[in-house]
Amino acid sequence: MRDVIRVVLVDPNEESRRALQRLLGSLAVLWLAEAFDSYKAAASRVAEIAPDLCLVALDADPAQAVELIAGLSHASPGTVLLPASATCDSGLILKAIRAGAREFLTLPTEAAEVSDIVSRLFRGRGEAGGPGAKGPQLVTITGASGGVGCTSTAVNLATTLASGGHGETILLDFDLMFGSVDACLDIIPDNTLSNVIQNLDRLDLTLLKRSMTRHASGLYVLPHPVALEDSARIDPEALRRLLGLLKAAFPNLVIDTSKGLQSSDFVAFEMADVILVVISLDLTCLRNTARLLNLFHQFEGMADRVKLVVNRAGSAESEIGLKKAEETLKMPISFQVPIASKAFQAARVRGVPLADVAAGSRAHQAILEIARSLRGDEAAGAEKPRKGLFAAFF
C-alpha cells in the first residue's frame, strides 16, 4: 500500500461530515484532501483533485449520491469509491455497487473498521506501482547551463498539466536564490517556500493550499523566498518533508531547479520520478550535461529516471546535430521543443504561458506531447525506495 492515501469526503450532513472528518484525520495512512458539503460541488472537483479514495455519504439524498458515484466511476476511474450510510437498505447498497462502488461503510463507524476496509481496497497497490499507475508524480526539470530554457519548460509543462485535465498540479521554484517562476507567470505570491516550511507543523491540507498562490490556469505555485537570507536558512530535510506532504496532496508536482547544484536541487533529484534534463545543441552545454549525467550514474537508478529534452531544436545556431548529441551523452533524446524565440519572448514579457500567445504552434504542441507522454508513461513512475542519495554532499 502507498504511504498515504488521499481521500475526498462528500457528506452534506454537517454533523455526520464533522464526525467523519475527525475519524479520517485520526488515521495516519489517510490524508483528507478535501471535504464537500454538496454532491454537486464534489462532482466538478473530484476529477481535478484526483484522490485515491472518495467517501460518499448517501443519507442526505441517496438518489443524488448514487448519481454522483456513477458519474465519478466514469470521470475518475482511478479513484476508489466508497459509499457510506446509516441504513443497511440492501436496495440502496446494490444501487451504489452497480454505480461503481466496491465496498460499503455502515455509519456510525470506528477507525478500525475504516482501516480494515481501506486495507482491503488498496491491498497490493504498492506492489502495483503506486503513482506509476497514473504516470510519474514528481517531475524535476534541470539543466547543466543557464539559459537553456529550464524555467520556460517547467512553467509551460506545469500549466499544461494543470489546465489539461491531468489533476491538480503544483510548481515549486527550487532556485532558492534567483528563481523566476513567479515572474514568468506574473504573480505576486502570498507565501513562499520559506513561509510554508516555517509553518509546516501547523498546516493541514486546506490551509496548505490556501497558503499558495493559484494561477489562472489552475496551477498552484510555491515560489522561492523573497529575501536571499531566507533561502540560506532552508534545510534540505525540511524540503524533503515538504515534498512528502505535497506528494500526498497533489497528483502532479513539477520542480524547477537552480542549475547550480544547490542542496535543494539534490533533494529534487532524489525524490523525482522523472528528471527532465533540458539541453541546447552547443558544445558547452553538452559537455556540462555529460558531467551532470556522470554524476547521476553514481547513484543507483537515478540515471534511469533521466529524459533529455532538446530546447530550441532546429535553430540555425545549433553547433551539434541530434545524432551526435545522443552519441556524446550516450542516451536517446526523448523530446524536442522547436525553436520559437519570438513566441517564448512574448510569453515572458507578458508573464503568461506559451499557450496564451502561441496556442497550437509547433513549440506548444511539443509541450503538450511532453505532458501526454509523462502522464501515460507508467513504467517511468515505478516507485523505488530512495533515501539520502546525496547525503555525502550535504
Side-chain angles (χ1 to χ4, degrees):
M1 190 188 298
R2 285 180 60 178
D3 291 338
V4 178
I5 294 169
R6 302 170 68 244
V7 183
V8 161
L9 169 64
V10 187
D11 188 351
N13 184 294
E14 183 174 356
E15 182 180 354
S16 168
R17 185 175 66 253
R18 289 184 181 278
L20 284 169
Q21 282 180 284
R22 287 194 296 272
L23 187 149
L24 295 173
S26 70
L27 296 172
V29 73
L30 302 180
W31 178 294
L32 183 58
E34 200 146 341
F36 293 96
D37 61 4
S38 84
Y39 300 117
K40 186 176 180 181
S44 61
R45 280 281 290 148
V46 170
E48 185 180 4
I49 297 171
D52 301 303
L53 175 68
C54 182
L55 199 165
V56 182
L58 306 177
D59 295 335
D61 189 327
Q64 277 196 39
V66 171
E67 184 179 348
L68 172 65
I69 291 172
L72 294 178
S73 69
H74 291 287
S76 305
T79 297
V80 175
L81 302 168
L82 176 60
S85 173
T87 71
C88 293
D89 182 343
S90 58
L92 179 59
I93 295 174
L94 185 59
K95 286 181 180 177
I97 297 297
R98 285 176 173 171
R102 288 169 48 191
E103 287 267 2
F104 187 85
L105 179 65
T106 303
L107 300 177
T109 185
E110 297 180 352
E113 185 179 4
V114 175
S115 183
D116 286 345
I117 289 178
V118 169
S119 296
R120 288 199 297 274
L121 288 172
F122 291 91
R123 184 174 296 137
R125 178 172 175 150
E127 291 75 15
K134 301 176 182 177
Q137 183 184 16
L138 199 162
V139 178
T140 292
I141 299 176
T142 191
S145 299
V148 294
C150 291
T151 300
S152 291
T153 304
V155 165
N156 286 294
L157 176 60
T159 51
T160 298
L161 289 171
S163 61
H166 300 288
E168 287 188 315
T169 302
I170 181 169
L171 174 61
L172 300 103
D173 194 344
F174 270 28
D175 190 346
L176 303 184
M177 295 291 182
F178 304 110
S180 58
V181 161
D182 50 349
C184 287
L185 291 172
D186 192 26
I187 58 173
I188 300 176
D190 299 322
N191 286 294
T192 68
L193 273 167
S194 178
N195 305 129
V196 171
I197 286 176
Q198 288 173 8
N199 296 287
L200 205 52
D201 291 332
R202 290 181 287 174
L203 294 174
D204 59 18
L205 181 58
T206 301
L207 291 176
L208 184 63
K209 285 186 174 178
R210 285 179 181 171
S211 70
M212 299 174 190
T213 303
R214 200 169 190 194
H215 184 255
S217 64
L219 175 70
Y220 289 88
V221 182
L222 200 47
H224 64 90
V226 175
L228 290 179
E229 57 270 28
D230 289 340
S231 302
R233 296 192 186 104
I234 291 181
D235 177 40
E237 283 303 322
L239 283 176
R240 288 189 184 91
R241 187 172 169 229
L242 173 64
L243 289 181
L245 291 175
L246 291 177
K247 287 184 74 170
F250 291 90
N252 303 304
L253 290 83
V254 178
I255 297 177
D256 182 32
T257 67
S258 74
K259 282 71 73 181
L261 293 185
Q262 299 174 1
S263 59
S264 55
D265 301 330
F266 289 110
V267 173
F269 297 150
E270 285 179 16
M271 299 190 68
D273 299 308
V274 170
I275 303 171
L276 294 183
V277 177
V278 182
I279 65 173
S280 56
L281 296 176
D282 63 80
L283 186 59
T284 301
C285 180
L286 290 186
R287 186 168 57 188
N288 287 336
T289 301
R291 296 169 63 204
L292 180 62
L293 295 178
N294 283 337
L295 176 65
F296 289 160
H297 277 290
Q298 296 178 35
F299 302 93
E300 183 180 358
M302 182 163 288
D304 297 335
R305 289 182 268 134
V306 171
K307 293 180 181 293
L308 296 177
V309 181
V310 171
N311 195 27
R312 306 185 190 104
S315 169
E317 297 178 359
S318 297
E319 300 171 359
I320 297 172
L322 292 172
K323 185 176 180 181
K324 186 65 177 177
E326 290 181 330
E327 291 174 356
T328 301
L329 300 177
K330 298 177 182 176
M331 65 180 302
I333 290 169
S334 299
F335 307 106
Q336 299 179 47
V337 179
I339 185 167
S341 301
K342 290 184 178 178
F344 276 107
Q345 183 179 7
R348 280 196 297 273
V349 169
R350 289 176 53 188
V352 297
L354 182 66
D356 285 15
V357 298
S361 64
R362 291 178 61 214
H364 181 229
Q365 291 294 333
I367 297 293
L368 292 173
E369 178 55 31
I370 294 174
R372 284 193 294 265
S373 176
L374 290 176
R375 299 316 302 160
D377 190 350
E378 300 186 1
E383 191 174 41
K384 298 177 181 179
R386 296 191 290 272
K387 296 182 180 179
L389 290 175
F390 293 100
F393 288 80
F394 297 94

